[in-house]
């Protein structure tokens, strides 16, 4: 600490008034408290949406709108299946559930937690019939079109005759007068997708073995990832289900929807915050008490942690407007890091009890400042990852360290003025440990010792690194418990596989071209279902035939109404006077078409409108692009957009996907069809940033070497940097040997291993004659950090588990290696002196 910077710092800090510094610190903390309170009052909130941690990816506008539409359509939906032994009980239970939910909605009005409560739409068929009937001359099923193309009017007459004598047919005198061959009812039936579900008394039903399940659906008014909305929705739902189970105790309830995953994630995060945070805090308090045996260090430790947490929350809310629950879980590790400054301060005071608090702060100021800068830069490295959640972690922890650093510089000179009790025993223990490490390090300085040490490290690293595997699957960010996933899987099976996150985006330069593309894609998906690659799909091609297809149907029906109408009427025993009216009706609709704009005004059409992407929001039936979420591969999407230059798009929802690779292969060479797989795309981006983070770590080591060379010289700087570098390498090797896969969160943790580990190296490199005090401070610092991150390793969330495990290993190795710096730098200094004397 003999540098010019250290001398100037000592002089400035010794001359400044402790009272004025404390006043500045109090003003800063008061301002932060008031500003944070203002932010909460203005709408700042705690966020629990795990998707908020995912990367912001770049994609073309059409892909972005498609993702927004799918997420808006599927998000916040709640599905409840009531499984009973018979259909009557299931229907009655479902009606009671809907009645209770609707009663709450009526009572609360616009404030109702759950809206759009529904089951089966019994008026759907009638509404579709009224819409399509005027266009009946432009609709044909495949068998009908084939018969007309082959001039086989006779088979159509036979089919119509059969319907006339079928008690369950749609035939009536009014329909026969307008559609004598009864072609329209068959076309109407094709609009209903094939499914395992059926409707009865307005309730959607499905068989589950010998039981019957009645399905009720609703939509949350607010996001399921909003903790307040979660509470409101679950309160309403629980009350309604309690009423159902009271009247029908044998009912089994199956639940599905993002709401239940969000609740599980929120509960896990809150539990871990309270348990891990409390354990970390108690551990730090125990460390401080055992080391210093005084109340004041305990109080100042709590003040240091509290001020750090205050600034962490203030900065995070100021930048992001919200605080993610996972940020708070990661942030519990801040307790173990922020307290390091307090440890170094009090260990220096123990080593020189005559020195005042102000002088002690001035003495450690240069090294603590450099340590703060390197740790903050390490967090900045984490913030470079394209994860809003991880960026919050970076801001939260860097601001927390700033709070602890300012507390040390501004508050300690006055608040820590009281003398400590005799602390010779902790220092003696630290000195004994340091002496043992020094004695051991002397053995490594011999050629044989250095060779053996290098061989062990080399074998360890090679053996572990070569066994490393990678795992970038984003689904490991959060894994819901079986109590949530198992009922959801059962319900998905009832609904024919449900709807998956993957979907097709079909592009075309015009509306007609898009409809033609959808008609071309549907047979390919039917083949995928036949090959058991897919369970089901929802496409607009079922409801919106292209103009070309409508013209073909119209032309084929011309064979009936222009040349064969008399034969048809005679064969069916109908009045020949119907001929002029039928021919006039046929000719009248020649230029009339089924159009998306008209279809989307229907109730059923409005539900399907999000699957249609018009060229711009003004022409979109539902105002596309209302949300601002992310997904899909940037490179892949950009290629499609560039290739097509298309403004029109349609979404085809996929369900029950069994072979995603086979589906991708079907459309791999089709530039107009893109299979959007957000999970796979983001996982690929995670892998990319994992490699980038490791490269950033290597760059940080190089920059640190250059920076420290200016202060310590190259040889000493190389030793300082070598410790965290070797610790990171040994951590990777250990992960490989233990079978832990490498992910982005391991790489981000290694950045912190460098940022925290370099602090230990710096303190030992600057120790001079205070090795015992530094050893004790580093020991306590390592213990608190290991306690904080070691506890994170027990998290149920794999991302946090990986982060904590890697930090624990890295800091553990750094602690074991960093004392070697003292003996190494002493050896370098001795050699330098001997060289100087000889010269």
């Amino acid at each position: 600490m003999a540098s010019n910077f250290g001398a100037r710092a000592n002089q400035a800090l010794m001359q400044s008034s402790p009272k004025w510094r404390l006043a500045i610190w109090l003003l800063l903390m008061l301002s932060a408290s008031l500003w944070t309170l203002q932010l909460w009052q203005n709408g700042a909130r705690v966020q629990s949406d795990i998707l908020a941690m995912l990367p912001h990816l770049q994609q073309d506008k059409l892909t972005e709108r498609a993702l927004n539409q799918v997420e808006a359509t599927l998000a916040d939906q709640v599905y409840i299946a009531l499984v009973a032994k018979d259909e009557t009980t299931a229907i009655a239970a479902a009606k009671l559930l809907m009645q209770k939910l609707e009663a709450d909605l009526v009572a609360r009005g616009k404030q109702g937690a759950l809206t759009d409560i529904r089951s089966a739409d019994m008026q759907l068929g009638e509404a579709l019939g009224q819409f399509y009937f005027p266009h009946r001359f432009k609709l044909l099923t495949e068998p009908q079109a084939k018969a007309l193309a082959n001039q086989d009017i006779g088979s159509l007459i036979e089919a119509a005759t059969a319907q006339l004598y079928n008690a369950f047919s749609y035939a009536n005198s009014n329909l026969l007068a307008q559609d004598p061959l009864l072609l329209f009812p068959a076309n109407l039936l094709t609009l209903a997708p094939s499914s395992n579900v059926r409707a009865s008394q307005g309730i959607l039903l499905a068989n589950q073995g010998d039981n019957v399940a009645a399905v009720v659906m609703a939509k949350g008014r607010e996001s399921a990832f909003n903790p307040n909305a979660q509470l409101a929705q679950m309160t309403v739902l629980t009350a309604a289900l309690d009423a159902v189970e009271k009247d029908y105790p044998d009912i089994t309830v199956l639940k599905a929807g993002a709401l239940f995953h969000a609740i599980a994630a929120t509960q896990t995060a809150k539990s871990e915050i309270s348990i891990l945070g409390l354990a970390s805090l108690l551990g730090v308090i125990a460390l401080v008490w055992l080391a210093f045996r005084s109340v004041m260090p305990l109080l100042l430790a709590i003040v240091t942690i509290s001020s750090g947490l205050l600034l962490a929350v203030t900065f995070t809310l100021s930048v992001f407007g919200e605080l993610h629950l996972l940020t708070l879980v990661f942030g519990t590790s801040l307790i173990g890091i922020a307290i390091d400054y307090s440890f170094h301060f009090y260990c220096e005071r123990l080593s020189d009890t005559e020195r005042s608090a102000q002088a002690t702060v001035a003495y450690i100021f240069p090294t603590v400042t450099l340590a703060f800068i390197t740790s903050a830069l390490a967090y900045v490295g984490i913030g470079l990852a394209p994860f809003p959640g991880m960026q919050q972690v970076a801001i939260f922890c860097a601001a927390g360290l700033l709070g602890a650093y300012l507390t040390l510089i501004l508050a300690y000179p006055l608040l820590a003025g009281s003398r400590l009790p005799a602390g010779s025993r902790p220092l003696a223990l630290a000195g004994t440990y340091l002496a043992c490490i020094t004695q051991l390090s002397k053995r490594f300085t011999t050629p044989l010792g250095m060779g053996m040490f290098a061989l062990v490290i080399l074998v360890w690293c090679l053996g572990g690194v070569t066994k490393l595997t990678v795992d970038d699957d984003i689904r490991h960010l959060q894994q819901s418990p079986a109590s949530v996933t198992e009922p959801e899987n059962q319900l998905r099976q009832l609904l024919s596989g449900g709807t998956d996150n993957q979907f097709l985006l079909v592009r075309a330069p015009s509306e007609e071209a898009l409809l033609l593309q959808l008609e071309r894609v549907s047979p390919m998906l039917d083949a995928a279902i036949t090959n058991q690659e897919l369970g089901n799909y929802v496409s607009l091609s079922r409801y919106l035939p292209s103009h070309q297809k409508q013209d073909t149907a119209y032309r084929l029906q011309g064979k009936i109404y222009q040349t064969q109408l008399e034969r048809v009427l005679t064969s069916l025993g109908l009045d020949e006077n119907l001929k002029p009216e039928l021919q006039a009706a046929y000719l009248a609709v020649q230029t009339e078409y089924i159009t998306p704009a008209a279809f989307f005004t229907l109730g059923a059409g409005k539900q399907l409108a999000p699957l249609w992407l018009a060229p711009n929001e003004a022409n979109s039936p539902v105002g596309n692009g209302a949300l601002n979420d992310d997904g899909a591969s940037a490179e892949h999407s950009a290629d499609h957009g560039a290739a097509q230059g298309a403004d029109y798009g349609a979404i085809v929802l996929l369900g029950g996907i069994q072979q995603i690779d086979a589906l991708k292969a079907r459309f791999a060479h089709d530039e107009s069809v893109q299979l959007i797989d957000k999970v796979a795309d983001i996982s690929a981006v995670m892998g990319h940033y994992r490699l980038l983070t490791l490269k950033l770590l290597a760059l940080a080591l190089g920059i640190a070497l250059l920076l420290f060379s200016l202060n310590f010289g190259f040889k000493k700087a190389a030793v300082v940097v070598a410790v965290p570098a070797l610790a990171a390498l040994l951590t990777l090797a250990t992960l490989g040997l233990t079978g832990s896969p490498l992910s982005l969160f391991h790489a981000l943790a290694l950045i912190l291993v460098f940022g925290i580990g370099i602090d230990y190296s710096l303190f030992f490199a600057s120790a001079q004659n205070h090795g015992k005090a530094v050893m004790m401070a580093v020991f306590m610092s390592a213990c608190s950090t290991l306690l904080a991150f070691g506890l994170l390793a027990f998290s149920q969330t794999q991302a946090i588990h990986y982060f904590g495990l890697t930090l624990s290993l890295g800091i553990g190795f750094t602690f074991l290696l960093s004392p070697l710096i003292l003996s190494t730098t002493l050896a370098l200094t001795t050699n330098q002196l001997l060289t100087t004397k000889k010269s």
Side-chain angles (χ1 to χ4, degrees), residues 405-605:
Y405 172 78
L406 292 176
T407 301
L408 172 69
I409 302 303
L410 300 176
Y412 273 53
L414 186 62
L415 296 182
S418 59
R419 295 186 179 276
L420 289 173
S424 58
R425 179 170 174 78
L427 284 176
L429 291 174
T432 302
Y433 176 80
L434 188 60
C436 293
I437 292 294
T438 303
Q439 188 67 28
L440 181 63
S441 66
K442 290 180 179 179
R443 299 182 180 181
F444 295 149
T445 58
T446 64
L448 179 61
M450 291 181 65
M452 290 297 293
F453 180 74
L455 181 62
V456 170
I457 296 296
L458 182 62
V459 171
W460 189 344
C461 292
L462 286 178
V465 172
T466 54
K467 290 184 178 181
L468 267 179
T469 58
V470 296
D471 181 5
D472 299 308
D473 195 333
I474 64 165
R475 284 168 291 198
H476 292 162
L477 281 174
Q478 180 72 48
Q479 293 179 316
S480 297
S483 59
V484 174
T485 57
E486 289 180 2
E488 181 171 271
N489 291 335
Q490 293 182 45
L491 185 47
R492 285 174 61 86
Q493 291 301 316
L494 290 175
L495 299 175
S496 303
T499 302
D500 292 324
N501 293 322
Q502 298 88 350
F503 62 91
L504 291 181
L505 174 60
V506 183
R507 302 166 181 263
S510 67
E511 184 176 285
E512 174 66 6
L514 181 58
L515 295 174
L516 288 169
Q517 290 282 22
L518 288 172
E519 291 171 354
R520 181 180 62 83
V521 167
S522 290
M524 300 172 69
L525 293 175
D526 291 333
I529 293 175
T530 302
N531 291 342
Q532 297 183 344
E533 301 167 13
L534 182 67
N536 61 82
Y537 68 92
V538 178
S539 174
L540 288 171
S541 65
R542 187 186 301 274
Y543 305 94
L544 295 173
S546 64
H547 284 199
Q548 179 179 310
K549 187 174 182 179
Q550 293 181 63
D551 286 338
T552 300
Y554 185 80
R555 177 175 52 80
L556 288 173
Q557 290 205 47
K559 297 179 180 181
I560 301 172
Y561 294 99
Q562 291 182 327
T563 62
Q564 299 290 329
L565 189 54
E566 289 184 5
R567 174 188 173 187
V568 170
L569 294 175
T570 301
S571 300
L572 294 173
L574 299 176
D575 188 351
E576 292 186 2
N577 292 329
L578 292 174
K579 180 179 177 180
E581 295 181 9
L582 286 170
Q583 288 182 330
Y586 172 80
L587 294 173
V589 298
Q590 183 176 4
T591 58
E592 300 293 328
Y593 292 95
I594 300 168
T595 62
F599 175 72
F600 293 136
T601 60
L602 292 177

Side-chain angles (χ1 to χ4, degrees), residues 685-744:
V685 171
M686 286 183 68
H688 168 73
Y689 279 96
R690 170 177 46 79
L691 292 174
L692 184 63
T693 302
L694 292 175
K695 293 178 181 177
L696 178 65
L697 175 60
L699 178 63
L701 290 170
I703 294 174
L705 178 61
L706 179 63
L707 180 64
F708 297 155
S709 296
L710 300 176
N711 194 37
F712 300 121
F714 179 78
K715 290 183 178 180
K716 192 173 182 179
V719 174
V720 171
V721 174
V723 167
L726 185 56
L729 192 59
L730 288 171
T731 300
L732 288 175
T734 305
L735 292 173
L737 292 172
T738 57
S740 179
L742 185 65
S743 70
L744 174 62

Side-chain angles (χ1 to χ4, degrees), residues 28 63 76 122 178 213 229 315 329 411 515 559 596 618 643 680 734:
L28 177 64
T63 303
D76 306 325
M122 301 303 290
Q178 300 180 75
F315 274 72
V329 175
L515 295 174
K559 297 179 180 181
T734 305

